[in-house]
Amino acid sequence: GQNIDQPTEMTATEGAIVQINCTYQTSGFNGLFWYQQHAGEAPTFLSYNVLDGLEEKGRFSSFLSRSKGYSYLLLKELQMKDSASYLCAVRDSTTDSWGKLQFGAGTQVVVTP
Amino acid sequence: EPEVTQTPSHQVTQMGQEVILRCVPISNHLYFYWYRQILGQKVEFLVSFYNNEISEKSEIFDDQFSVERPDGSNFTLKIRSTKLEDSAMYFCASSPGPYNEQFFGPGTRLTVL
């Protein structure tokens, strides 16, 4: 199984940078995803890491270290609309679990003016 | 841009009744999933489906649950005899391949009274 930990809540100011950490323990690993979820809405895909290193996508970047079981999502130039829950999800690598995502509880980011 | 759609957006039912939640995955996607999210809790995997059969299911997906792809576009989740604890948001997701990102539908909020 998986154990995925991320902070419950973070607050930051508009225009600032916030880093959301995610640690995981898993018997198999085949990729880590970050999703954004606004209250009452569906998760929307932000980024995907399967190899170590940094993936950059506009204002969002995600980093992965497989040996440390660690990832972070970096949100730059924060905007008010970035206030949402950010979900870390790990995909298992066992033969029968090619697609199953295991989600963390989410980090609620609050952006203040 | 193609998207996953779900109907209804909100379903209210009495305990013990059967419900069918409907999803139309993105048209060229081959892998389908159901997840659920109880209010205030994390997103939980229910089942994955490929090539007209279940690939994997979680412990939540007991004999009361079933999935079906009745035609070339729809993907349904049936709960035979609903319980109070089935009240949750149910998300359908699809992906083109087993290792791609999953795209989530807007969800169906199920309320069991």
Side-chain angles (χ1 to χ4, degrees):
Chain A
Q2 317 272 5
N3 193 25
I4 301 166
D5 292 309
Q6 49 182 132
T8 306
E9 185 172 311
M10 302 181 76
T11 301
T13 309
E14 199 173 9
I17 298 173
V18 72
Q19 177 175 313
I20 307 167
N21 296 324
C22 173
T23 58
Y24 62 89
Q25 294 97 41
T26 174
S27 52
F29 175 84
N30 195 11
L32 188 143
F33 296 79
W34 285 96
Y35 282 81
Q36 180 191 62
Q37 187 179 30
H38 285 100
E41 296 182 12
T44 54
F45 170 75
L46 291 178
S47 72
Y48 167 54
N49 296 72
V50 66
L51 298 176
D52 291 351
L54 188 68
E55 293 283 336
E56 296 191 78
K57 259 187 168 186
R59 292 190 299 115
F60 295 168
S61 305
S62 58
F63 171 83
L64 175 67
S65 168
R66 287 171 296 169
S67 61
K68 293 190 168 84
Y70 167 70
S71 173
Y72 68 72
L73 179 71
L74 198 68
L75 284 62
K76 293 177 259 192
E77 299 167 23
L78 278 173
Q79 301 174 9
M80 297 300 290
K81 67 178 182 179
D82 297 330
S83 290
S85 185
Y86 291 83
L87 314 180
C88 174
V90 173
R91 184 170 56 207
D92 208 316
S93 67
T94 58
T95 306
D96 298 330
S97 300
W98 41 257
K100 177 171 81 174
L101 294 182
Q102 299 266 22
F103 282 85
T107 298
Q108 184 67 43
V109 170
V110 177
V111 182
T112 59
Chain B
E1 188 174 322
E3 55 185 23
V4 177
T5 58
Q6 291 184 243
T7 53
S9 56
H10 192 184
Q11 173 97 45
V12 182
T13 190
Q14 295 289 328
M15 192 169 57
Q17 295 296 303
E18 175 183 286
V19 294
I20 297 177
L21 311 183
R22 292 184 165 79
C23 169
V24 178
I26 294 172
S27 64
N28 62 345
H29 287 187
L30 301 175
Y31 296 79
F32 314 121
Y33 316 85
W34 284 100
Y35 292 84
R36 79 169 187 192
Q37 187 174 31
I38 294 169
L39 188 64
Q41 298 188 21
K42 63 183 178 180
V43 176
E44 299 174 289
F45 170 81
L46 292 178
V47 66
S48 56
F49 190 89
Y50 168 70
N51 201 27
N52 279 320
E53 57 184 33
I54 289 174
S55 301
E56 186 179 6
K57 53 187 181 180
S58 70
E59 307 84 43
I60 303 166
F61 195 91
D62 61 23
D63 292 344
Q64 293 301 312
F65 290 84
S66 62
V67 289
E68 194 178 33
R69 187 151 163 84
D71 53 46
S73 58
N74 290 284
F75 179 50
T76 61
L77 174 70
K78 183 194 291 186
I79 310 175
R80 266 181 267 285
S81 176
T82 50
K83 303 188 279 278
L84 295 176
E85 54 265 36
D86 293 329
S87 294
M89 185 75 107
Y90 287 80
F91 293 109
C92 172
S94 70
S95 63
Y99 301 113
N100 299 99
E101 63 267 28
Q102 295 174 20
F103 294 86
F104 283 71
T108 293
R109 180 166 298 285
L110 177 65
T111 303
V112 182
L113 303 175

